[in-house]
Amino acid sequence: MKLFYCPLACSLADHIALEEAGVDYERERVDLSTKITATGRNYNELTSKGYVPALQLDNGEILTENVAILDWIASRHPKLGVRGELGRTRLLEALAYISTELHRSLRPLWHSSSNQEMAEARAAIQTRLQFLSDSLAGDYLFGENLTAADCYLFVMLLWAERFDLETPKPLVALRERMRARPAVRVAMAVEGLN
Ligand SMILES: N[C@@H](CCC(=O)N[C@@H](CS)C(=O)NCC(=O)O)C(=O)O
């Protein structure tokens, strides 16, 4: 299996989840400006979506979308999932929220946007971070154990830090807790982020 990633992109969430799962996998960097991978492949031929992450399974199939990839990893490595009858649904609920509400809101900060777009984005992000902070069930989103949703949230918190966004204290603590985890340190070191 091979993860296609770009440093500090949202694919870091999947990178961390694979490290946390302790699986054997390869990774290949993608230059998003040229769409050429580290081995010289045309990334658009791998996925016409042209964005990271993509996870190539051992049978050659390509998975895309953070929600799907993180859910796939958690389904195979239940320590990254949520326990209980509604566990998978709750995990998907959190992944969908992070993807569609938070990740999406952060986009204007990465691209040249008007002052008004920036201000609206910052306000939306603050509301959504507060919601997530209020829903923390312990050290992590679902309690004392890290799940695939925390991997995704962590990347959004790194971006919030990068753009100097006001972040509720419990989420700052979660970010630092995550940053100290050996698997996170490995993924970040590979991406040149330490
Ligand atoms: N819907 C996709 C969006 C992924 C996405 O936004 N990837 C960004 C990096 S965080 C990217 O590769 N952008 C480059 C591009 O779109 O050309 C998902 O949730 O996985």
mmCIF file of all heavy atoms in Angstrom, residues 72-98:
data_model
loop_
_atom_site.group_PDB
_atom_site.id
_atom_site.type_symbol
_atom_site.label_atom_id
_atom_site.label_comp_id
_atom_site.label_asym_id
_atom_site.label_seq_id
_atom_site.Cartn_x
_atom_site.Cartn_y
_atom_site.Cartn_z
ATOM 1 N N TRP A 72 -11.335 3.871 6.316
ATOM 2 C CA TRP A 72 -10.795 2.575 5.873
ATOM 3 C C TRP A 72 -9.690 2.108 6.837
ATOM 4 O O TRP A 72 -9.656 0.941 7.252
ATOM 5 C CB TRP A 72 -10.249 2.716 4.446
ATOM 6 C CG TRP A 72 -9.768 1.428 3.849
ATOM 7 C CD1 TRP A 72 -10.517 0.497 3.196
ATOM 8 C CD2 TRP A 72 -8.414 0.932 3.858
ATOM 9 N NE1 TRP A 72 -9.714 -0.556 2.791
ATOM 10 C CE2 TRP A 72 -8.421 -0.315 3.191
ATOM 11 C CE3 TRP A 72 -7.214 1.412 4.364
ATOM 12 C CZ2 TRP A 72 -7.275 -1.083 3.012
ATOM 13 C CZ3 TRP A 72 -6.065 0.641 4.189
ATOM 14 C CH2 TRP A 72 -6.105 -0.579 3.526
ATOM 15 N N ILE A 73 -8.812 3.034 7.204
ATOM 16 C CA ILE A 73 -7.719 2.667 8.124
ATOM 17 C C ILE A 73 -8.308 2.253 9.481
ATOM 18 O O ILE A 73 -7.924 1.224 10.052
ATOM 19 C CB ILE A 73 -6.717 3.842 8.292
ATOM 20 C CG1 ILE A 73 -6.034 4.161 6.958
ATOM 21 C CG2 ILE A 73 -5.672 3.520 9.369
ATOM 22 C CD1 ILE A 73 -5.220 5.453 6.947
ATOM 23 N N ALA A 74 -9.278 3.029 9.971
ATOM 24 C CA ALA A 74 -9.864 2.715 11.292
ATOM 25 C C ALA A 74 -10.643 1.402 11.250
ATOM 26 O O ALA A 74 -10.657 0.654 12.237
ATOM 27 C CB ALA A 74 -10.768 3.859 11.745
ATOM 28 N N SER A 75 -11.255 1.102 10.112
ATOM 29 C CA SER A 75 -12.016 -0.161 10.023
ATOM 30 C C SER A 75 -11.081 -1.357 10.127
ATOM 31 O O SER A 75 -11.438 -2.389 10.676
ATOM 32 C CB SER A 75 -12.762 -0.261 8.694
ATOM 33 O OG SER A 75 -13.632 0.808 8.575
ATOM 34 N N ARG A 76 -9.878 -1.191 9.587
ATOM 35 C CA ARG A 76 -8.914 -2.290 9.647
ATOM 36 C C ARG A 76 -8.078 -2.291 10.916
ATOM 37 O O ARG A 76 -7.492 -3.311 11.269
ATOM 38 C CB ARG A 76 -7.991 -2.248 8.420
ATOM 39 C CG ARG A 76 -8.572 -3.034 7.291
ATOM 40 C CD ARG A 76 -8.343 -2.442 5.936
ATOM 41 N NE ARG A 76 -9.282 -3.034 4.986
ATOM 42 C CZ ARG A 76 -10.527 -2.606 4.816
ATOM 43 N NH1 ARG A 76 -10.991 -1.590 5.525
ATOM 44 N NH2 ARG A 76 -11.330 -3.198 3.958
ATOM 45 N N HIS A 77 -8.043 -1.170 11.589
ATOM 46 C CA HIS A 77 -7.250 -1.059 12.821
ATOM 47 C C HIS A 77 -8.146 -0.444 13.893
ATOM 48 O O HIS A 77 -8.104 0.766 14.135
ATOM 49 C CB HIS A 77 -5.997 -0.216 12.566
ATOM 50 C CG HIS A 77 -5.163 -0.798 11.471
ATOM 51 N ND1 HIS A 77 -4.303 -1.855 11.677
ATOM 52 C CD2 HIS A 77 -5.125 -0.539 10.150
ATOM 53 C CE1 HIS A 77 -3.758 -2.209 10.535
ATOM 54 N NE2 HIS A 77 -4.242 -1.423 9.585
ATOM 55 N N PRO A 78 -8.957 -1.299 14.525
ATOM 56 C CA PRO A 78 -9.997 -0.801 15.430
ATOM 57 C C PRO A 78 -9.479 0.079 16.564
ATOM 58 O O PRO A 78 -10.246 0.847 17.136
ATOM 59 C CB PRO A 78 -10.624 -2.085 15.977
ATOM 60 C CG PRO A 78 -10.333 -3.114 14.938
ATOM 61 C CD PRO A 78 -9.017 -2.746 14.345
ATOM 62 N N LYS A 79 -8.168 0.015 16.850
ATOM 63 C CA LYS A 79 -7.683 0.908 17.913
ATOM 64 C C LYS A 79 -7.818 2.378 17.488
ATOM 65 O O LYS A 79 -7.798 3.270 18.328
ATOM 66 C CB LYS A 79 -6.233 0.574 18.302
ATOM 67 C CG LYS A 79 -5.203 0.854 17.243
ATOM 68 C CD LYS A 79 -3.791 0.573 17.767
ATOM 69 C CE LYS A 79 -2.749 0.880 16.702
ATOM 70 N NZ LYS A 79 -1.385 0.672 17.140
ATOM 71 N N LEU A 80 -7.968 2.625 16.184
ATOM 72 C CA LEU A 80 -8.147 4.009 15.710
ATOM 73 C C LEU A 80 -9.620 4.345 15.486
ATOM 74 O O LEU A 80 -9.950 5.425 14.994
ATOM 75 C CB LEU A 80 -7.374 4.224 14.398
ATOM 76 C CG LEU A 80 -5.860 4.186 14.537
ATOM 77 C CD1 LEU A 80 -5.199 4.303 13.176
ATOM 78 C CD2 LEU A 80 -5.383 5.318 15.441
ATOM 79 N N GLY A 81 -10.488 3.399 15.825
ATOM 80 C CA GLY A 81 -11.919 3.622 15.639
ATOM 81 C C GLY A 81 -12.577 4.017 16.957
ATOM 82 O O GLY A 81 -11.913 4.260 17.968
ATOM 83 N N VAL A 82 -13.892 4.090 16.909
ATOM 84 C CA VAL A 82 -14.671 4.450 18.097
ATOM 85 C C VAL A 82 -15.469 3.218 18.496
ATOM 86 O O VAL A 82 -16.081 2.569 17.645
ATOM 87 C CB VAL A 82 -15.615 5.639 17.791
ATOM 88 C CG1 VAL A 82 -16.434 6.001 19.024
ATOM 89 C CG2 VAL A 82 -14.812 6.844 17.301
ATOM 90 N N ARG A 83 -15.436 2.916 19.800
ATOM 91 C CA ARG A 83 -16.128 1.702 20.258
ATOM 92 C C ARG A 83 -17.635 1.924 20.368
ATOM 93 O O ARG A 83 -18.088 3.059 20.413
ATOM 94 C CB ARG A 83 -15.581 1.311 21.638
ATOM 95 C CG ARG A 83 -14.134 0.881 21.549
ATOM 96 C CD ARG A 83 -13.724 0.028 22.756
ATOM 97 N NE ARG A 83 -12.270 -0.145 22.717
ATOM 98 C CZ ARG A 83 -11.433 0.571 23.432
ATOM 99 N NH1 ARG A 83 -11.868 1.475 24.267
ATOM 100 N NH2 ARG A 83 -10.131 0.373 23.328
ATOM 101 N N GLY A 84 -18.341 0.801 20.467
ATOM 102 C CA GLY A 84 -19.783 0.880 20.720
ATOM 103 C C GLY A 84 -20.603 0.677 19.463
ATOM 104 O O GLY A 84 -20.088 0.704 18.349
ATOM 105 N N GLU A 85 -21.887 0.481 19.702
ATOM 106 C CA GLU A 85 -22.800 0.163 18.606
ATOM 107 C C GLU A 85 -22.793 1.252 17.524
ATOM 108 O O GLU A 85 -22.833 0.978 16.334
ATOM 109 C CB GLU A 85 -24.218 0.013 19.177
ATOM 110 C CG GLU A 85 -25.134 -0.792 18.300
ATOM 111 C CD GLU A 85 -26.562 -0.759 18.821
ATOM 112 O OE1 GLU A 85 -26.729 -0.629 20.056
ATOM 113 O OE2 GLU A 85 -27.470 -0.849 17.997
ATOM 114 N N LEU A 86 -22.728 2.492 17.972
ATOM 115 C CA LEU A 86 -22.749 3.604 17.014
ATOM 116 C C LEU A 86 -21.332 4.090 16.683
ATOM 117 O O LEU A 86 -21.162 5.146 16.096
ATOM 118 C CB LEU A 86 -23.540 4.776 17.607
ATOM 119 C CG LEU A 86 -25.049 4.747 17.439
ATOM 120 C CD1 LEU A 86 -25.660 5.988 18.080
ATOM 121 C CD2 LEU A 86 -25.431 4.685 15.954
ATOM 122 N N GLY A 87 -20.329 3.292 17.099
ATOM 123 C CA GLY A 87 -18.936 3.740 16.991
ATOM 124 C C GLY A 87 -18.553 4.240 15.606
ATOM 125 O O GLY A 87 -18.060 5.356 15.450
ATOM 126 N N ARG A 88 -18.796 3.425 14.600
ATOM 127 C CA ARG A 88 -18.359 3.823 13.251
ATOM 128 C C ARG A 88 -19.124 5.054 12.780
ATOM 129 O O ARG A 88 -18.576 5.953 12.139
ATOM 130 C CB ARG A 88 -18.548 2.661 12.273
ATOM 131 C CG ARG A 88 -18.129 3.066 10.896
ATOM 132 C CD ARG A 88 -17.769 1.935 9.977
ATOM 133 N NE ARG A 88 -17.363 2.484 8.695
ATOM 134 C CZ ARG A 88 -17.834 2.076 7.529
ATOM 135 N NH1 ARG A 88 -18.699 1.080 7.477
ATOM 136 N NH2 ARG A 88 -17.423 2.647 6.424
ATOM 137 N N THR A 89 -20.389 5.090 13.112
ATOM 138 C CA THR A 89 -21.206 6.239 12.705
ATOM 139 C C THR A 89 -20.701 7.514 13.377
ATOM 140 O O THR A 89 -20.619 8.579 12.759
ATOM 141 C CB THR A 89 -22.681 5.976 13.086
ATOM 142 O OG1 THR A 89 -23.058 4.741 12.492
ATOM 143 C CG2 THR A 89 -23.586 7.063 12.588
ATOM 144 N N ARG A 90 -20.350 7.401 14.642
ATOM 145 C CA ARG A 90 -19.823 8.578 15.364
ATOM 146 C C ARG A 90 -18.489 9.022 14.768
ATOM 147 O O ARG A 90 -18.213 10.223 14.675
ATOM 148 C CB ARG A 90 -19.639 8.261 16.855
ATOM 149 C CG ARG A 90 -20.930 8.072 17.605
ATOM 150 C CD ARG A 90 -21.724 9.357 17.653
ATOM 151 N NE ARG A 90 -22.986 9.194 18.343
ATOM 152 C CZ ARG A 90 -24.041 9.976 18.159
ATOM 153 N NH1 ARG A 90 -23.996 10.967 17.297
ATOM 154 N NH2 ARG A 90 -25.155 9.775 18.830
ATOM 155 N N LEU A 91 -17.675 8.051 14.376
ATOM 156 C CA LEU A 91 -16.387 8.405 13.759
ATOM 157 C C LEU A 91 -16.649 9.138 12.440
ATOM 158 O O LEU A 91 -16.059 10.189 12.172
ATOM 159 C CB LEU A 91 -15.540 7.148 13.519
ATOM 160 C CG LEU A 91 -14.182 7.428 12.858
ATOM 161 C CD1 LEU A 91 -13.256 8.202 13.803
ATOM 162 C CD2 LEU A 91 -13.494 6.144 12.418
ATOM 163 N N LEU A 92 -17.545 8.600 11.640
ATOM 164 C CA LEU A 92 -17.860 9.247 10.350
ATOM 165 C C LEU A 92 -18.450 10.633 10.567
ATOM 166 O O LEU A 92 -18.177 11.570 9.812
ATOM 167 C CB LEU A 92 -18.834 8.372 9.546
ATOM 168 C CG LEU A 92 -18.204 7.127 8.928
ATOM 169 C CD1 LEU A 92 -19.270 6.189 8.361
ATOM 170 C CD2 LEU A 92 -17.210 7.510 7.820
ATOM 171 N N GLU A 93 -19.248 10.747 11.609
ATOM 172 C CA GLU A 93 -19.857 12.045 11.926
ATOM 173 C C GLU A 93 -18.754 13.083 12.208
ATOM 174 O O GLU A 93 -18.787 14.205 11.701
ATOM 175 C CB GLU A 93 -20.751 11.861 13.158
ATOM 176 C CG GLU A 93 -21.589 13.051 13.535
ATOM 177 C CD GLU A 93 -22.471 12.736 14.762
ATOM 178 O OE1 GLU A 93 -22.039 11.964 15.659
ATOM 179 O OE2 GLU A 93 -23.583 13.281 14.825
ATOM 180 N N ALA A 94 -17.760 12.660 12.992
ATOM 181 C CA ALA A 94 -16.660 13.580 13.327
ATOM 182 C C ALA A 94 -15.806 13.872 12.094
ATOM 183 O O ALA A 94 -15.442 15.025 11.822
ATOM 184 C CB ALA A 94 -15.797 12.975 14.441
ATOM 185 N N LEU A 95 -15.499 12.832 11.305
ATOM 186 C CA LEU A 95 -14.668 13.027 10.103
ATOM 187 C C LEU A 95 -15.372 13.954 9.117
ATOM 188 O O LEU A 95 -14.754 14.835 8.515
ATOM 189 C CB LEU A 95 -14.367 11.682 9.432
ATOM 190 C CG LEU A 95 -13.419 10.730 10.171
ATOM 191 C CD1 LEU A 95 -13.383 9.372 9.470
ATOM 192 C CD2 LEU A 95 -12.013 11.315 10.255
ATOM 193 N N ALA A 96 -16.683 13.761 8.968
ATOM 194 C CA ALA A 96 -17.444 14.595 8.025
ATOM 195 C C ALA A 96 -17.462 16.045 8.498
ATOM 196 O O ALA A 96 -17.333 16.976 7.692
ATOM 197 C CB ALA A 96 -18.864 14.056 7.881
ATOM 198 N N TYR A 97 -17.602 16.236 9.795
ATOM 199 C CA TYR A 97 -17.618 17.609 10.330
ATOM 200 C C TYR A 97 -16.264 18.284 10.086
ATOM 201 O O TYR A 97 -16.195 19.430 9.622
ATOM 202 C CB TYR A 97 -17.943 17.585 11.838
ATOM 203 C CG TYR A 97 -18.124 18.971 12.406
ATOM 204 C CD1 TYR A 97 -19.299 19.682 12.193
ATOM 205 C CD2 TYR A 97 -17.101 19.591 13.128
ATOM 206 C CE1 TYR A 97 -19.463 20.966 12.697
ATOM 207 C CE2 TYR A 97 -17.256 20.877 13.634
ATOM 208 C CZ TYR A 97 -18.442 21.555 13.419
ATOM 209 O OH TYR A 97 -18.604 22.836 13.909
ATOM 210 N N ILE A 98 -15.200 17.552 10.381
ATOM 211 C CA ILE A 98 -13.865 18.139 10.205
ATOM 212 C C ILE A 98 -13.632 18.454 8.726
ATOM 213 O O ILE A 98 -13.098 19.506 8.376
ATOM 214 C CB ILE A 98 -12.784 17.182 10.768
ATOM 215 C CG1 ILE A 98 -12.954 17.039 12.284
ATOM 216 C CG2 ILE A 98 -11.374 17.685 10.428
ATOM 217 C CD1 ILE A 98 -12.174 15.897 12.907
#
